[in-house]
């Protein structure tokens, strides 16, 4: 057998006991920090498809606007043509449903807007009928009723809006349903 007789100086000259240089440290730390920054920046986006989003609000706003324009405030045989008396009775929020007005398609009025529209308690809804940017009012029985119901939409949250063009009293108006 042949015995090895390396001396420490010969081993160091061939690179056998090499220490870490500052360049190795800088490269390693740079790669590590870039990886940490990448994970912190992009990891929350990975879970977005699995978290609650406004997609349900879009569906609720569209479904609610369709329900109002085609069934509750209009005769189903002539959608988007609102009956003035039924519309006023819905928005008066007296809590008496149709209040004896013949031909109305609802049993609960804007006093309990969530129940009248069939949305859950976790959904906030605002319904308005506007003409040229101002809230309309009707007065079929002599008392003027403003055609808006529900809480005012917040400015700090995302609000989904669904719009329908309707006829009310022979005039074109815009029905807005805001959901958040």
């Amino acid at each position: 057998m042949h015995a090895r007789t390396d001396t420490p100086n010969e081993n160091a000259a061939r690179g056998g006991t090499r220490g870490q240089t500052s360049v190795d440290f800088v490269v390693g730390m740079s790669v590590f920090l870039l990886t940490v920054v990448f994970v912190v920046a992009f990891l929350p986006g990975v879970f977005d498809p699995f978290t609650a989003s406004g997609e349900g609000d879009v569906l609720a706003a569209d479904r609610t606007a369709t329900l109002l324009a085609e069934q509750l405030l209009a005769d189903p045989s002539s959608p988007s043509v609102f009956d003035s008396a039924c519309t006023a009775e819905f928005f008066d929020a007296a809590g008496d449903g149709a209040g004896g007005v013949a031909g109305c398609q609802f049993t609960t009025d804007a006093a309990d807007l969530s129940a009248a529209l069939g949305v859950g308690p976790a959904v906030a809804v605002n319904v308005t009928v506007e003409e040229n940017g101002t809230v309309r009012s009707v007065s079929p029985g002599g008392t003027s009723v403003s055609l808006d119901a529900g809480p005012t939409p917040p400015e700090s949250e995302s609000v989904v809006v669904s719009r329908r063009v309707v006829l009310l009293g022979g005039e074109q108006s815009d029905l807005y349903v805001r959901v958040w």
Side-chain angles (χ1 to χ4, degrees):
M1 273 242 133
H2 180 54
R4 214 168 155 172
T5 59
D6 288 340
T7 62
N9 287 338
E10 290 175 0
N11 199 15
R14 291 186 296 179
T17 58
R18 184 177 152 231
Q20 183 179 24
T21 63
S22 60
V23 174
D24 293 335
F25 179 76
V26 169
V27 169
M29 285 306 293
S30 298
V31 169
F32 174 74
L33 291 175
L34 285 174
T35 304
V36 168
V37 167
F38 177 80
V39 168
V40 167
F42 294 108
L43 191 61
V46 171
F47 296 108
D48 277 347
F50 307 109
T51 59
S53 66
E55 190 172 315
D57 291 344
V58 172
L59 296 173
D62 189 52
R63 181 179 58 91
T64 302
T66 301
L67 177 71
L68 287 166
E70 295 180 3
Q71 293 178 9
L72 295 183
L73 301 179
D75 185 3
S77 63
S78 57
S80 298
V81 179
F82 284 7
D83 178 75
S84 294
C86 285
T87 303
E89 189 62 34
F90 181 82
F91 283 100
D92 76 355
D96 58 354
V101 178
C104 294
Q105 305 293 322
F106 57 88
T107 56
T108 306
D109 63 12
D112 188 2
L113 195 58
S114 295
L117 301 176
V119 297
V123 177
V125 180
N126 175 282
V127 178
T128 57
V129 178
E130 299 179 9
E131 183 177 358
N132 298 326
T134 59
V135 177
R136 288 220 30 203
S137 61
V138 292
S139 51
T143 304
S144 181
V145 177
S146 179
L147 302 182
D148 61 341
T152 303
E155 295 192 22
S156 62
E157 292 183 44
S158 176
V159 177
V160 177
V161 180
S162 186
R163 175 182 167 251
R164 298 288 187 277
V165 177
V166 298
L167 282 178
L168 177 61
E171 296 179 20
Q172 182 175 325
S173 300
D174 297 316
L175 169 69
Y176 289 99
V177 175
R178 295 170 177 89
V179 175
W180 65 97

